[in-house]
């Protein structure tokens, strides 16, 4: 009886605690009747500081016909906030989106790396702060199930959660969302930054502004520095933003090769008035945009024999006067970063292979050049202090880069662009590293059709991708006529209210507008009509639009049915580089031997497409490597390659070595006498390289009850990455049998369940 009373008391305490937490929240309803609603979630202190400004923002949205609900409170528990959001979402009319303003709890997610594009950090052996993914999918995907781990000791606004194994394993957000979180290290009061920003966002909604001025930049090392990637992008963007190609001022495509210190040109372009969209394809960190490499091209430094050197930009702190000076500065900076044996090996290599002398590495010389070298390094990339004086003009900036939108940091690149002076109202970026080969511009043409940017983000949602700023921002649809504007409003309405209505999207599919046709394919995939797979294949074969064909391929990859291999074979010969690249990548995940021939053809004969070759080379690692070597020999023998024998020997030698590596890796996995760390490392490689030929033997290890439980759990998780494998059915059957077996240890059973749910989608 006493135990029952204690339990009842505990429930009462919990109920009171939750009720008190909820009681702190205040709701300001929409000011009228609207077809759809938008939710502003703001903490109490921020609301007090920017009440007037956020009122202006609410007013302008409601003037556009979007009802705005404000939720004001203090939250020390993300679950409490999530349930308050759920309660508002479940009411009518439809809540299409939300924005989290100010100090809203930040959730760091674990056990959900398969929902990212690239992040695969070992959660057991790296600190929790580094190996977790900051994500607002916790708030906007209400079907996901989480379990609380802990609150961060150093950052009380940060909370760690595991995705439950029983949860859905794919992201399908109920509404779009964004963050308005000013950086705390900017040097200006956060509330002042927030208030200034809200007025800027409200003003942007009052503009008549067409998406007719776009700028794209490709940074050093991105997409293997492939010029075919850079060139082909222009064809696709022309389809997505046709108004930007009416004259030469409407579009610009820049490349890091155009200047050894491209950041200064980018400063000019980022402050160019009238810019609508600026896209950075680059590598990044939370505080850095990586622009140029460490070794600038000599010609770009202005060194031309018999002529004067190019003038030094007034804004530059230090520009080397010639290629050798730049090279020397780079070598010294690299050497300073190394320690011990690594530094000594680097020094010897520079002396023996590149002609540097001993005196070059003397401490006296290094000290004398330290200031100049530091300034040189600072000119290569863009860091947070560089951004403060700039007045950004693009209404929308996209960072196709790692970590640039890490809003859990005190300062982050996307936040500096948004909350700086100028006209930028929304950015998109990632909180962790991101796959270079993802279609970052998928459906971006929705913006040209007058769609709210939040709807675009919702269609390409990953765990790490986020909008920073105003998710309701939209450009004016069309080119000025009322009919175009009305079509834009209707399209927003359809996305909010009828995203799964097949008839509506079949009508859009009939459009000659590539943006609408591509969008229609995405929406139809949510509730596929009969024969949808065949429609996708036919569209992929016959449509002339790059973006429509790419969308058709992406939908077939997601469906993963009988038409996929045929589509991948066709895709490897498509005129659009991005289609070839994705076909090459997913061919490896499939493992169907019909794909060996076109993949081998790609690695031998497609030198102009570095990134496609790279994807094809990696994918062939996942096939029977004896068959790969034979196919290389066959194709080279029938070719007109000038150095065919050398090419054949190089490639066959490489795949023979890969075959040995894979054999040794499997032997390590099976070896119970080997250290667990070595076995686990070998197993984790399977996440990137699905070795289809080894599946039977891997399943034997998984089902070996005498093996270490940690090994079996790690292997169960790794097999969950074989989504497209020809051995997928075999894996699922084995996992199902293990899950049903009552003797399976509970911890392993949970991991098995998670992999079953991951593999059973599509």
């Amino acid at each position: 009886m006493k135990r029952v009373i204690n339990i009842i008391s505990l429930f009462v305490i919990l109920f009171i605690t939750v009720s008190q937490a909820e009681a702190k929240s205040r709701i300001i309803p929409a000011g009228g009747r609207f077809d759809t609603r938008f939710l502003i979630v703001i903490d109490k202190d921020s609301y007090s500081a920017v009440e007037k400004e956020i009122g202006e923002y609410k007013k302008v949205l409601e003037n556009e016909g979007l009802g705005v609900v404000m939720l004001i409170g203090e939250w020390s528990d993300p679950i409490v906030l999530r349930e308050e959001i759920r309660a508002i979402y479940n009411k009518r009319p439809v809540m299409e989106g939300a924005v989290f303003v100010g100090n809203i709890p930040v959730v760091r997610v674990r056990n959900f790396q398969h929902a990212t594009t690239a992040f695969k950090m070992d959660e057991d052996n790296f600190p929790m702060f580094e190996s977790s993914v900051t994500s607002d999918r916790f708030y906007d995907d209400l079907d996901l199930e989480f379990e609380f781990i802990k609150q961060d000791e150093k950052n009380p606004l940060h909370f760690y959660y595991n995705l439950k194994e029983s949860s859905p394993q794919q992201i399908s957000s109920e509404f779009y969302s964004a963050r308005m979180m000013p950086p705390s290290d900017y040097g200006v009061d956060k509330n002042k930054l927030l208030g200034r920003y809200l007025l800027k966002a409200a003003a942007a909604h009052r503009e008549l502004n067409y998406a007719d001025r776009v700028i794209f930049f490709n940074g050093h090392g991105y997409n293997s520095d492939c010029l075919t990637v850079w060139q082909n992008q222009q064809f696709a963007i022309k389809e997505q933003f046709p108004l930007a190609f009416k004259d030469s001022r409407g579009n610009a495509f820049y490349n890091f090769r155009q200047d050894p210190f491209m950041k200064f040109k980018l400063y000019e372009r980022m402050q160019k008035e009238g810019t609508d969209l600026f896209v950075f394809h680059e590598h990044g960190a939370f505080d850095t945009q990586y622009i140029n490499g460490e070794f600038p091209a000599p010609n770009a430094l202005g060194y031309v024999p018999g002529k004067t050197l190019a003038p030094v930009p007034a804004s530059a702190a230090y520009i080397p006067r010639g290629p050798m000076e730049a090279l020397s500065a780079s070598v010294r900076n690299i050497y300073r970063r190394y320690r011990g044996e690594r530094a000594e090996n680097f020094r010897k290599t520079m002396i023996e292979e590149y002609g540097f002398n001993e005196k070059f590495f003397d401490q006296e010389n290094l000290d004398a050049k330290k200031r100049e070298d530091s300034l040189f390094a600072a000119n290569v990339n863009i860091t947070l202090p560089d951004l403060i004086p700039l007045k950004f003009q693009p209404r929308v900036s996209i960072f196709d880069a790692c970590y640039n939108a890490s809003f859990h940091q005190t300062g982050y690149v996307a936040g500096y662009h948004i909350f700086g002076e100028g006209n930028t109202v929304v950015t998109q970026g990632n909180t962790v590293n991101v796959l270079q080969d993802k279609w970052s511009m998928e459906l971006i043409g929705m913006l040209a059709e007058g769609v709210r940017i939040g709807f675009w983000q919702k269609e390409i949602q990953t765990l790490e991708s986020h909008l920073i700023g105003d998710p309701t921002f939209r450009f004016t649809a069309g080119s000025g006529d009322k009919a175009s504007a009305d079509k834009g409003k209707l399209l927003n309405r359809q996305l909010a209210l009828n995203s799964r209505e097949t008839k509506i999207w079949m009508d859009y599919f009939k459009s000659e507008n590539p943006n609408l046709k591509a969008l229609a394919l995405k929406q139809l995939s949510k509730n596929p009509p009969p024969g949808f797979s065949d429609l996708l294949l036919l569209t992929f074969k016959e449509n002339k639009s790059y973006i429509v064909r790419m969308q058709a391929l992406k939908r077939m990859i997601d469906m993963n049915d009988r038409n996929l291999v045929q589509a991948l074979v066709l895709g490897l010969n498509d005129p659009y580089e991005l289609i070839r690249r994705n076909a090459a990548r997913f061919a490896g995940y499939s493992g169907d031997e019909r794909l060996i021939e076109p993949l081998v053809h790609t690695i031998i004969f497609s030198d102009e497409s570095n990134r496609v070759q790279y994807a094809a080379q990696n994918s062939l690692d996942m096939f029977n490597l004896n068959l790969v070597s034979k196919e290389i020999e066959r194709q080279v023998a029938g070719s007109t390659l000038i150095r065919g024998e050398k090419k054949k020997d190089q490639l066959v030698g490489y795949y023979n070595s890969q075959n040995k590596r894979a054999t040794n890796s499997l032997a390590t996995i099976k070896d119970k006498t080997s250290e667990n760390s070595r076995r686990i490392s070998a197993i984790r490689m399977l996440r990137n390289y699905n070795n289809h030929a080894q599946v039977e033997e891997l399943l034997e290890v998984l089902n070996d009850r005498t093996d270490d439980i940690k090994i079996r759990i790690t292997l169960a998780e790794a097999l969950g990455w074989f989504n497209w494998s020809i051995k997928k059915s075999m894996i699922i059957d084995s996992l199902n049998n293990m899950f049903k077996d009552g003797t399976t240890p509970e911890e392993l059973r949970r991991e098995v369940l998670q992999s079953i749910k991951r593999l059973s989608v599509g």
Side-chain angles (χ1 to χ4, degrees):
M1 184 68 182
K2 183 178 179 181
R3 184 171 178 271
V4 172
I5 292 172
N6 286 339
I7 291 173
I8 294 172
S9 299
L10 178 62
F11 275 116
V12 170
I13 291 169
L14 287 172
F15 176 78
I16 292 172
T17 302
V18 171
S19 297
Q20 287 176 341
E22 291 176 346
K24 293 179 182 177
S25 300
R26 169 188 171 199
I27 295 177
I28 300 178
R33 297 176 65 86
F34 300 91
D35 291 334
T36 61
R37 295 174 303 152
F38 177 70
L39 175 64
I40 297 174
V41 180
I42 183 169
D43 69 280
K44 185 178 178 182
D45 290 342
S46 295
Y47 179 74
S48 297
V50 298
E51 182 176 356
K52 180 181 178 182
E53 292 89 345
I54 207 162
E56 284 296 308
Y57 178 62
K58 181 180 191 292
K59 179 180 178 182
V60 76
L61 295 185
E62 294 192 333
N63 286 342
E64 287 183 0
L66 179 61
V68 177
V69 177
M70 278 204 280
L71 178 63
I72 307 161
E74 295 176 292
W75 297 279
S76 58
D77 184 347
I79 287 291
V80 171
L81 173 56
R82 191 180 197 229
E83 292 310 306
E84 290 186 32
I85 292 171
R86 188 193 302 275
I88 294 171
Y89 173 80
N90 285 336
K91 294 179 180 178
R92 293 295 168 191
V94 165
M95 189 184 106
E96 66 175 57
V99 65
F100 307 112
V101 184
N103 297 317
I104 304 304
V106 173
V107 171
R108 317 288 315 285
V109 176
R110 301 173 68 76
N111 193 36
F112 202 14
Q113 292 185 6
H114 48 279
T116 69
T117 59
F119 189 75
K120 292 183 178 69
M121 187 176 289
D122 189 337
E123 293 182 350
D124 292 332
N125 294 315
F126 283 86
M128 194 172 284
F129 185 83
E130 293 179 30
S131 59
S132 303
V133 182
T134 298
S135 184
D136 281 337
R137 301 300 84 80
F138 179 89
Y139 295 118
D140 61 38
D141 189 338
L142 298 172
D143 294 325
L144 297 177
E145 299 171 10
F146 298 93
E147 58 184 359
F148 177 67
I149 303 173
K150 70 171 188 174
Q151 186 175 14
D152 194 285
E153 298 88 351
K154 296 181 180 179
N155 301 283
L157 197 64
H158 296 183
F159 298 82
Y160 295 94
Y161 284 84
N162 264 334
L163 181 79
K164 288 184 178 180
E165 289 83 359
S166 58
S167 167
Q169 298 295 312
Q170 277 193 328
I171 291 170
S172 181
S173 297
E174 276 75 15
F175 53 89
Y176 60 76
S177 72
R179 280 271 174 172
M180 293 182 187
M181 180 175 278
S184 59
D185 67 348
Y186 194 85
V188 178
D189 178 73
K190 289 174 65 174
N191 289 326
K192 183 177 180 180
L193 291 176
L194 180 58
R196 182 176 72 184
Y197 168 75
L198 286 164
L199 293 179
K200 175 171 64 174
H205 280 268
R206 301 186 183 99
E207 289 181 342
L208 189 69
N209 183 14
Y210 307 103
D212 56 1
R213 293 288 184 270
V214 300
I215 297 176
F216 288 76
F217 169 70
N218 281 39
H220 174 265
Y222 210 75
N223 293 141
S224 303
D225 293 337
C226 181
L227 287 172
T228 303
V229 173
W230 184 59
Q231 175 212 41
N232 274 205
Q233 176 183 231
Q234 300 174 39
F235 304 147
I237 296 302
K238 185 176 181 180
E239 293 180 356
Q240 293 171 313
F241 294 95
L243 292 181
F245 288 79
K246 286 194 170 183
D247 60 60
S248 63
R249 297 182 181 183
N251 64 88
F253 294 84
Y254 296 105
N255 190 287
F256 74 96
R257 295 175 176 88
Q258 293 167 331
D259 194 283
F261 303 101
M262 192 69 189
K263 64 187 281 185
F264 301 110
K265 287 188 181 295
L266 294 178
Y267 291 170
E268 296 172 6
R269 303 312 186 264
M270 287 189 285
Q271 298 181 95
K272 185 178 180 181
E273 292 186 4
T275 303
D276 298 311
L277 174 68
F278 203 126
V279 177
F280 296 89
H281 298 295
E282 62 190 17
H283 291 295
F286 74 91
D287 59 354
T288 307
Q289 294 178 254
Y290 293 110
I291 306 301
N292 287 93
E294 291 189 287
F295 300 101
N299 287 343
L301 284 165
Y303 177 73
V304 181
K307 294 187 179 181
T308 57
L309 296 174
V312 178
S315 55
Y318 166 68
I319 299 290
R321 306 303 291 178
M324 289 309 299
E325 190 176 336
L327 176 63
S328 298
S330 292
V331 171
R332 286 191 296 266
N333 282 330
I334 293 172
Y335 181 65
R336 288 187 184 97
R337 293 202 296 267
Y338 294 162
R339 295 289 183 273
E341 184 179 349
R342 192 177 185 191
E344 181 59 20
N345 289 339
F346 178 78
R347 186 186 67 82
K348 286 181 178 179
T349 300
M350 292 295 104
I351 292 171
E352 294 171 5
E353 298 185 22
Y354 295 96
F356 287 83
N357 58 39
E358 293 279 0
K359 187 177 180 181
F360 181 88
F361 295 97
D362 286 350
Q363 193 61 47
E364 184 179 350
N365 181 53
L366 293 173
D367 291 343
K369 296 288 186 181
K370 189 172 183 178
R371 182 177 182 278
E372 284 186 2
D373 293 350
S374 177
L375 293 172
F376 164 78
N379 287 340
V380 172
N381 300 310
I382 297 175
T383 58
L384 295 182
D386 296 329
L387 298 173
I388 291 176
L390 303 182
K391 296 183 178 180
F392 305 101
Q393 296 304 315
R395 281 305 192 191
V396 177
S397 288
I398 295 174
F399 302 99
D400 181 19
C402 304
Y403 293 100
N404 278 177
S406 297
F407 59 83
H408 58 280
Q409 300 283 357
T410 55
Y412 59 106
V413 167
Y416 271 57
H417 279 255
I418 279 292
F419 292 101
E421 294 190 52
N423 290 313
T424 301
V425 294
V426 62
T427 64
Q428 191 244 22
N430 305 286
T431 58
V432 293
N433 62 305
V434 65
L435 186 73
Q436 293 183 54
D437 296 314
K438 78 182 180 79
W439 187 14
S440 57
M441 295 295 100
E442 181 180 358
L443 297 174
I444 192 66
M446 292 169 66
L447 303 188
E449 308 303 325
V451 170
R452 298 190 192 282
I453 193 169
F455 283 122
W456 167 69
Q457 167 70 10
K458 184 169 178 277
E459 293 303 324
I460 59 167
Q461 208 97 288
T462 60
L463 193 63
E464 73 270 23
S465 65
H466 288 78
L467 292 177
I468 307 297
D470 176 17
T472 68
F473 175 78
R474 59 186 173 120
F475 292 105
T476 308
S479 55
D481 57 293
K482 185 177 183 301
S484 294
D486 289 343
K487 288 178 181 177
K489 292 178 182 178
L490 177 61
L491 188 53
N492 279 284
R493 179 184 173 84
Q494 304 291 28
L495 289 165
L497 303 177
N498 300 307
S499 65
R500 298 176 64 87
E501 291 295 326
T502 299
K503 184 180 183 305
I504 288 172
W505 296 107
M506 282 301 297
D507 288 341
Y508 275 106
F509 176 71
K510 296 171 186 175
S511 169
E512 294 300 313
N513 182 330
N515 284 328
L516 299 180
K517 206 172 191 74
L519 176 59
L521 289 177
K522 178 63 192 295
Q523 301 307 308
L524 287 168
S525 70
K526 298 175 182 178
N527 185 23
F532 185 53
S533 178
D534 292 334
L535 175 65
L536 288 172
L537 183 60
L538 181 65
T539 302
F540 185 60
K541 288 179 177 179
E542 297 184 354
N543 199 276
K544 295 180 180 180
S545 163
Y546 283 10
I547 63 170
V548 172
R549 288 201 314 280
M550 181 63 204
Q551 187 62 230
L553 177 62
K554 203 161 187 295
R555 302 280 65 80
M556 283 188 284
I557 288 170
D558 283 353
M559 290 187 74
N560 188 22
D561 67 0
R562 58 187 170 77
N563 285 329
L564 179 58
V565 173
Q566 184 181 354
L568 294 175
V569 171
L570 291 170
L572 282 161
N573 197 39
D574 195 271
Y576 187 20
E577 186 275 344
L578 188 63
I579 289 177
R580 297 198 302 278
R581 198 191 327 160
N582 276 271
R585 178 171 158 237
F586 283 93
Y589 295 140
S590 165
D592 192 296
E593 291 180 358
R594 287 173 288 176
L595 294 159
I596 292 177
E597 187 276 332
L599 284 171
V600 168
H601 189 276
T602 297
I603 65 170
I604 296 175
F605 301 110
S606 297
D607 293 340
E608 79 290 347
S609 298
N610 311 41
R611 197 68 185 176
V612 178
Q613 274 194 329
Y614 174 78
Q617 177 180 305
N618 286 342
S619 282
L620 283 169
D621 285 343
M622 304 182 216
F623 287 84
N624 181 316
L625 296 178
N626 291 322
L627 294 179
V628 171
S629 294
K630 288 178 182 178
E631 183 61 25
I632 291 170
E633 292 172 351
R634 186 190 73 80
Q635 291 196 29
V636 170
S639 74
T640 57
L641 289 171
I642 295 175
R643 295 182 178 84
E645 279 300 309
K646 183 177 180 181
K647 182 88 168 180
K648 180 200 74 174
D649 290 344
Q650 287 176 337
L651 290 173
V652 170
Y654 169 78
Y655 284 109
N656 282 340
S657 68
Q658 291 298 92
N659 199 5
K660 290 178 182 177
R661 181 192 62 77
T663 301
N664 291 338
S665 180
L666 179 61
T668 299
I669 292 171
K670 296 171 68 175
D671 183 6
K672 295 180 184 178
T673 66
S674 181
E675 293 180 3
N676 268 12
S677 59
R678 292 187 66 235
R679 298 180 72 191
I680 288 172
S681 178
I683 292 170
R684 288 176 64 84
M685 285 294 294
L686 294 168
R687 290 149 56 114
N688 283 330
Y689 295 97
N690 301 161
N691 197 316
H692 313 281
Q694 296 180 350
V695 165
E696 288 90 340
E697 292 176 88
L698 293 171
L699 289 174
E700 289 177 9
V701 176
L702 179 66
N703 285 283
D704 185 353
R705 298 183 183 186
T706 66
D707 210 334
D708 187 280
I709 187 67
K710 181 63 177 175
I711 296 296
R712 298 175 72 195
I713 290 170
T714 305
L715 186 52
E717 191 271 343
L719 289 167
W721 294 80
F722 283 60
N723 304 68
W724 294 273
S725 175
I726 53 173
K727 301 293 181 66
K728 177 178 174 178
S729 295
M730 179 187 296
I731 295 170
I732 291 175
D733 288 345
S734 182
L735 292 173
N736 274 323
N737 289 335
M738 181 173 283
F739 182 75
K740 293 172 185 175
D741 186 344
T743 65
T744 301
E746 183 57 29
E747 188 179 2
L748 174 58
R749 197 165 179 269
R750 289 200 303 269
E751 194 66 62
V752 165
L753 173 62
Q754 187 167 26
S755 287
I756 291 171
K757 292 172 77 72
R758 288 168 58 190
L759 293 168
S760 300
V761 176

